Amino acid sequence: MSLSRRRFLAISAAAAAGATWFDVPQVLAKANLLADDPWGGFPLGAQSYSLRDFDVVAAVRHLQGMGLHYAEFFNKHLDAKATDEKIAETQKLLKDADIKLSGHGVHGFGKDHEANRKLFDFAKKIGVRVITANPTPDSYDSLDKLVAEYDIRIAIHNHGPGALFDKLESVKKAVEGRHKNFGSCVDCGHFIRSGEDPVKCVLELGDRVFGVHIKDEKESNTPKSSNVVIGKGHLDVVGLFKALKKIKFPADGSLALEYEANPKDPISDMKQCLDVAKEAIAKANA
């Protein structure tokens, strides 16, 4: 059995037992896997939107080539309305590449409870516990019921200046008083564009953080989006991983690099981002 597959099984078993990221290093150490894990126990993957100009086969091949074992997909690479046959085909492709889906989205949700339920059925079918979401306020009561019924998490995705979820306070207000599975996907780049510090956002949202889109921006507090290799803009990468460690980010959360620049050929830049992440994780774990 491959090292990555053994790692999957160890972490999956830990997550099923309620483990958080905080527990993962011990889990891997017991399985003699920690020393060989370049991500220091973090379930680091990528949002497949980074590879939106590639079909699913090519996207998975590139993720595998980057040494990643987790991915959050968006609809191009696995549509929420896909047939059972297409889902099975995609799951086999991922399994053969030792890649596990950690999340799916971003999905809109409204007041139609049965329409919302269909997305939860899809998430259950593909085996993810995190749906990144852009829900309207009239969906909150519906989602409160569904996250409890399915034990699947809704992670509100902030989308920058002028969006429904812009500032930290807009996300905090949405999740306040809601079910424990009603939380946040912290998009670092969009928070930077909104003039927010992503590290502060992670710390203040705490155990409501179920997902993170790791990206960096050349400029801050602006509607303009200019992604750069992480650490070359305004993102404190070491601080981010320290914050995730402090809040005990869940082992089955969706922690994804998302690189939106250069969509036709993002591979080299994504690899640079991952090298920066490895160094930052080593420092955060020191």
Side-chain angles (χ1 to χ4, degrees):
M1 188 184 295
S2 69
L3 170 65
S4 58
R5 194 67 188 158
R6 287 167 55 212
R7 184 182 186 277
F8 273 165
L9 294 173
I11 293 179
S12 296
T20 65
W21 179 86
F22 184 77
D23 305 300
V24 168
Q26 288 183 325
V27 171
L28 294 180
K30 287 179 181 177
N32 296 317
L33 296 173
L34 185 58
D36 298 309
D37 180 16
W39 313 114
F42 284 97
L44 185 64
Q47 222 299 345
S48 72
Y49 186 77
S50 310
L51 300 163
R52 58 196 176 277
D53 279 12
F54 299 82
D55 65 23
V56 66
V57 174
V60 169
R61 175 172 56 83
H62 283 306
L63 293 173
Q64 185 181 26
M66 295 176 202
L68 295 174
H69 300 293
Y70 296 91
E72 179 180 302
F73 269 14
F74 81 118
N75 267 344
K76 176 178 178 176
H77 293 137
L78 182 57
D79 196 279
K81 297 178 181 178
T83 63
D84 288 350
E85 291 75 17
K86 183 62 178 179
I87 290 173
E89 177 186 322
T90 305
Q91 287 180 322
K92 183 180 186 306
L93 176 68
L94 289 162
K95 183 178 179 181
D96 290 346
D98 279 344
I99 294 173
K100 178 178 175 57
L101 283 184
S102 55
H104 200 281
V106 176
H107 292 287
F109 289 91
K111 64 181 179 180
D112 187 332
H113 187 67
E114 291 311 310
N116 295 341
R117 180 182 291 279
K118 288 179 181 178
L119 282 169
F120 276 77
D121 285 335
F122 169 71
K124 182 178 180 180
K125 189 175 293 184
I126 65 173
V128 301
R129 290 201 64 216
V130 179
I131 303 173
T132 55
N134 186 44
T136 53
D138 60 4
S139 72
Y140 295 172
D141 289 344
S142 167
L143 295 178
D144 237 10
K145 296 173 184 175
L146 291 168
V147 295
E149 178 183 343
Y150 286 78
D151 195 23
I152 288 174
R153 305 177 183 116
I154 281 291
I156 291 177
H157 176 265
N158 58 290
H159 213 96
L164 180 59
F165 301 101
D166 173 3
K167 297 284 190 176
L168 171 61
E169 287 303 317
S170 65
V171 181
K172 288 173 68 174
K173 182 179 178 180
V175 304
E176 186 178 3
R178 295 288 169 182
H179 189 276
K180 65 179 181 179
N181 286 340
F182 198 120
S184 166
C185 171
V186 172
D187 187 298
C188 298
H190 290 319
F191 266 138
I192 288 170
R193 293 196 303 112
S194 293
E196 299 276 16
D197 175 5
V199 175
K200 177 185 175 184
C201 294
V202 168
L203 291 171
E204 290 207 14
L205 287 163
D207 60 6
R208 295 281 185 168
V209 179
F210 307 138
V212 178
H213 287 173
I214 303 173
K215 69 175 73 155
D216 202 351
E217 294 284 340
K218 183 178 180 180
E219 301 176 47
S220 66
N221 201 18
T222 174
K224 182 180 178 181
S225 178
S226 302
N227 274 193
V228 292
V229 171
I230 60 172
K232 291 189 175 182
H234 293 268
L235 180 64
D236 176 0
V237 187
V238 176
L240 176 66
F241 284 105
K242 284 183 176 180
L244 292 172
K245 184 175 179 180
K246 184 172 183 178
I247 67 165
K248 301 182 180 181
F249 184 79
D252 56 353
S254 185
L255 180 61
L257 170 69
E258 185 176 34
Y259 190 75
E260 296 187 0
N262 195 18
K264 294 191 179 301
D265 188 18
I267 311 305
S268 176
D269 290 344
M270 290 178 71
K271 287 180 177 178
Q272 289 182 58
C273 289
L274 293 170
D275 285 341
V276 172
K278 285 179 186 177
E279 292 181 10
I281 288 169
K283 291 177 181 178
N285 284 339

